Amino acid sequence: PDANIENISKYSEPSLESTSHELWDFFRSIIGSKPSANKFLLKKSLNKLKKYIRGGQKIFAFKADVTSQREVFVFVKKIIKKFNKIDILINNAGILGPKGKMEELNWKQWIRTTEINLFGSVLMCRAVLPHFKKAKKGKIIQISGGGATNPTPMFSGYSASKAAIVRFVETL
C-alpha cells in the first residue's frame, strides 16, 4: 500500500449539506487508489468540486506522503505560501492493511498500516497546530472510520490504528 494521498488545502462550501456527499466522494475516490490513478482521480474530483466555488474561493491540491515528516511540513508550508494561512485540516489518511489472523499477518504490512493510519494523522496535526495557535483559530476534522468504534475481525492493524487516532485527537 502507498501512503501517498492527495490533500486539499482549502475548501469552503456554500452549504455543508449540499456538498457533503460530493466532498465524501472526492475523498473516497482518492484515498486508497493506486498512485498511478491518483492524478487522474484528483483532476476529475477537483473539476466536480469547482461548481461549489464562490467568489474568491480556491482549491489547491498537492501530493504528499503523510508518513514523511519532511513532505508533511513542506505541504503545510506550500499552503501557507499560497493562502497566507491555513484554516482547517481534514485528516482522512487510511488503509485497511493486511487481512487475516494476527499471528499469520505480514508484520511489515501491519506496521505500515499503523504508520499511515495513526502516525500520518499525528504528523499532519503536528504540522498545522503551530499555525492554528498563532492565528488563535483552526479546525481539525479527523476521519477515523468504522475500525475505531466497531470490531473489524481480521483487520487488527486497521482497528488498532483507528482506535488510537481517536484517542490521540481527544488529547488535543
Side-chain angles (χ1 to χ4, degrees), residues 133-162:
K133 287 180 177 182
K134 185 178 178 183
K136 295 186 173 74
K137 66 178 183 173
K139 300 247 186 229
I140 296 173
I141 299 172
Q142 178 65 53
I143 310 297
S144 64
T149 57
N150 299 304
T152 49
M154 309 302 267
F155 289 99
S156 60
Y158 175 76
S159 295
S161 61
K162 289 301 187 171

Side-chain angles (χ1 to χ4, degrees), residues 44-107:
K44 182 178 173 184
S45 296
L46 284 174
N47 286 334
K48 280 184 177 181
L49 289 174
K50 285 181 182 178
K51 67 183 174 183
Y52 296 106
I53 295 175
R54 302 288 186 264
Q57 296 173 335
K58 297 176 184 176
I59 296 175
F60 169 70
F62 174 73
K63 186 176 180 178
D65 178 346
V66 296
T67 66
S68 166
Q69 183 172 341
R70 184 188 62 75
E71 287 191 34
V72 166
F73 279 79
V74 166
F75 170 70
V76 172
K77 282 181 184 179
K78 286 187 178 198
I79 295 167
I80 301 299
K81 185 176 181 180
K82 186 163 185 79
F83 296 108
N84 297 316
K85 64 179 181 168
I86 183 166
D87 299 312
I88 187 168
L89 167 65
I90 301 174
N91 246 346
N92 193 36
I95 61 169
L96 285 175
K99 179 182 179 184
K101 296 177 182 175
M102 180 62 194
E103 66 275 15
E104 297 172 3
L105 294 177
N106 178 307
W107 186 244

Side-chain angles (χ1 to χ4, degrees), residues 17-29:
E17 188 171 326
S18 69
T19 60
S20 61
H21 293 293
E22 188 91 20
L23 194 57
W24 182 245
D25 287 344
F26 171 82
F27 288 118
R28 267 200 345 239
S29 72

Side-chain angles (χ1 to χ4, degrees), residues 99-150:
K99 179 182 179 184
K101 296 177 182 175
M102 180 62 194
E103 66 275 15
E104 297 172 3
L105 294 177
N106 178 307
W107 186 244
K108 287 183 181 179
Q109 290 177 357
W110 200 94
I111 294 296
R112 187 68 177 149
T113 302
T114 303
E115 288 173 342
I116 294 168
N117 296 356
L118 174 60
F119 301 146
S121 290
V122 170
L123 277 174
M124 290 299 298
C125 289
R126 282 186 59 151
V128 301
L129 282 171
H131 302 285
F132 288 174
K133 287 180 177 182
K134 185 178 178 183
K136 295 186 173 74
K137 66 178 183 173
K139 300 247 186 229
I140 296 173
I141 299 172
Q142 178 65 53
I143 310 297
S144 64
T149 57
N150 299 304

